[in-house]
Amino acid sequence: MLMFGVILASSGLLLMIERGILAQVGPPPLHPPAGLSRRDGRDSPAELELEVLRDTRNRTIRALCGQRSMPRSVWELPPGQRRTVLRHLLVSDKYRFLYCYVPKVACSNWKRILKVLDGALESVDVQGKMDHKSDLVFLGDMKPEEISYRLKHYYKFIFVRNPMERLLSAYRNKFGEIKEYQQKYGVEIVRRYRKNGGNSAGDDVSFSEFLQYLLDEDVEHMNEHWMPIYNLCQPCAVRYDFIGSYERLHADANHVLEHIQSPSFVRFPERQAWYKPVTAETLHYYLCNTQRRLLRELLPKYILDFSLFAYPLPNITSEFCRQ
């Protein structure tokens, strides 16, 4: 019943966006941006743009999450959805915050910071493969009353990213570099969607084959690296105090670190030297070489990520792709 409600809500949200209704939503923002100046003529264009972005997100979240069918707490979620969000909420009792980690949105660096704050890691610059499980505290491992207390009293934040950029990042990383993913997912994807693909080692999955696989997958059973952010972090059931953007990663990360009063020596790590960022040109290339039908059919699975977090839908018009 809840998933039906989410489908109805996302359909309604598309109509609201199309008709411009969200621009007329009256209530004040759900999460007022902290530290931003008012519109008194002294704001810089960048500050105004940021304020508009946050206000749009807050109003959209209020519009969607205010609908009767949407969950008001994690305890209203079906068991499977509740398990997913609780195992993605990391806990710092010392600094009293909860962070919902989203793979492919700098979550490895945030985990490094949590380990440094907890004393399990000396510095965020320590080299080596990231252990995503040890020395981290997950909200899902706690008792119900402990979970409720932290959800009510701790500072809660999340970082988001353009949905298509996040999917492309996951595709390039997992199928271009990680043998485990090539064997576990790649072999099956090629076998399923390519004629005579039975001999593939899973390292030659095309982006279109990957998107077709996502289209056929049940969202709630997806791997976390391509599961929609909405399903990972449930922004209606969890009232986040701050939503940071991958596009403003360091500035937004500094905002969080200041808010939780972390030690001055703790800073957000720089990108690793081997990291290959998804540029606008790279995304443009992949999208424009993908069947429009496939993108149109996949869009509903990620529409809440686009809508709630104020990301534009992918532009795949002929004019745009000719540029």
Side-chain angles (χ1 to χ4, degrees):
M1 183 64 189
L2 181 59
M3 181 50 62
F4 179 66
V6 171
I7 293 171
L8 284 178
S10 59
S11 301
L13 194 57
L14 278 173
L15 286 173
M16 293 169 76
I17 293 169
E18 194 173 307
R19 297 173 184 174
I21 294 174
L22 283 179
Q24 305 168 21
V25 176
L30 183 61
H31 315 312
L36 287 176
S37 57
R38 297 294 87 196
R39 299 192 178 188
D40 55 4
R42 292 175 295 176
D43 295 346
S44 71
E47 286 174 328
L48 286 175
E49 185 178 347
L50 175 60
E51 187 173 347
V52 168
L53 171 64
R54 288 180 178 167
D55 186 60
T56 300
R57 284 178 177 169
N58 294 334
R59 287 171 178 264
T60 309
I61 290 173
R62 176 176 287 278
L64 177 76
C65 299
Q67 299 188 35
R68 289 183 181 180
S69 58
M70 303 306 289
R72 299 294 195 279
S73 79
V74 297
W75 308 115
E76 294 181 16
L77 294 169
Q81 293 181 25
R82 183 165 61 247
R83 278 194 300 273
T84 295
V85 66
L86 291 181
R87 72 169 179 247
H88 282 84
L89 281 164
L90 296 172
V91 182
S92 172
D93 282 326
K94 184 176 181 180
Y95 291 91
R96 296 177 65 85
F97 70 78
L98 301 177
Y99 159 59
C100 186
Y101 79 86
V102 178
K104 308 313 298 179
V105 191
C107 74
S108 294
N109 281 339
W110 273 113
K111 289 175 181 178
R112 288 179 188 274
I113 287 177
L114 264 84
K115 292 187 179 191
V116 170
L117 291 175
D118 197 43
L121 201 63
E122 211 173 287
S123 163
V124 295
D125 296 320
V126 172
Q127 299 297 315
K129 186 175 174 61
M130 179 67 187
D131 188 328
H132 290 270
K133 298 297 180 183
S134 68
D135 300 317
L136 293 168
V137 180
F138 296 84
L139 192 61
D141 293 334
M142 296 184 171
K143 298 175 182 178
E145 59 271 21
E146 295 173 331
I147 292 171
S148 294
Y149 176 84
R150 286 161 177 78
L151 285 170
K152 182 177 181 180
H153 296 287
Y154 281 19
Y155 180 72
K156 298 172 288 294
F157 68 94
I158 177 180
F159 273 72
V160 299
R161 185 179 187 178
N162 179 298
M164 290 309 302
E165 186 180 304
R166 177 173 170 251
L167 288 181
L168 179 55
S169 178
Y171 163 75
R172 294 173 73 197
N173 173 236
K174 300 307 175 187
F175 298 107
E177 302 171 9
I178 312 297
K179 194 163 187 177
E180 176 189 348
Y181 277 77
Q182 295 168 358
Q183 295 174 341
K184 184 175 181 179
Y185 296 99
V187 170
E188 172 60 21
I189 290 173
V190 173
R191 186 196 64 78
R192 192 186 299 183
Y193 300 111
R194 189 185 305 171
K195 189 175 181 180
N196 301 321
N199 295 323
S200 171
D203 58 352
D204 59 343
V205 177
S206 71
F207 189 55
S208 292
E209 289 170 338
F210 174 58
L211 296 186
Q212 184 64 55
Y213 166 73
L214 297 181
L215 181 60
D216 293 339
E217 278 290 282
D218 177 10
V219 168
E220 292 187 27
H221 295 101
M222 282 183 175
N223 179 280
E224 63 177 9
H225 289 85
W226 42 81
M227 181 181 282
I229 298 174
Y230 177 88
N231 298 80
L232 289 173
C233 295
Q234 296 289 344
C236 289
V238 179
R239 189 184 186 280
Y240 291 99
D241 299 289
F242 184 76
I243 299 174
S245 300
Y246 186 81
E247 297 75 21
R248 286 178 41 88
L249 185 56
H250 278 79
D252 285 354
N254 287 336
H255 171 87
V256 171
L257 293 173
E258 287 177 15
H259 185 91
I260 65 173
Q261 298 182 325
S262 71
S264 58
F265 68 85
V266 177
R267 55 175 177 73
F268 198 79
E270 296 297 327
R271 286 174 173 169
Q272 300 287 340
W274 48 262
Y275 179 75
K276 299 176 184 176
V278 174
T279 64
E281 292 76 17
T282 306
L283 184 61
H284 177 278
Y285 172 82
Y286 277 92
L287 291 180
C288 289
N289 283 280
T290 300
Q291 292 182 9
R292 295 183 191 179
R293 172 200 62 80
L294 187 54
L295 291 171
R296 280 198 304 267
E297 291 178 1
L298 182 64
L299 192 59
K301 285 196 171 182
Y302 294 89
I303 195 62
L304 291 177
D305 286 2
F306 281 106
S307 305
L308 289 179
F309 306 126
Y311 285 108
L313 299 181
N315 185 351
I316 51 170
T317 60
S318 298
E319 181 181 355
F320 176 76
C321 289
R322 277 198 300 267
Q323 295 176 7

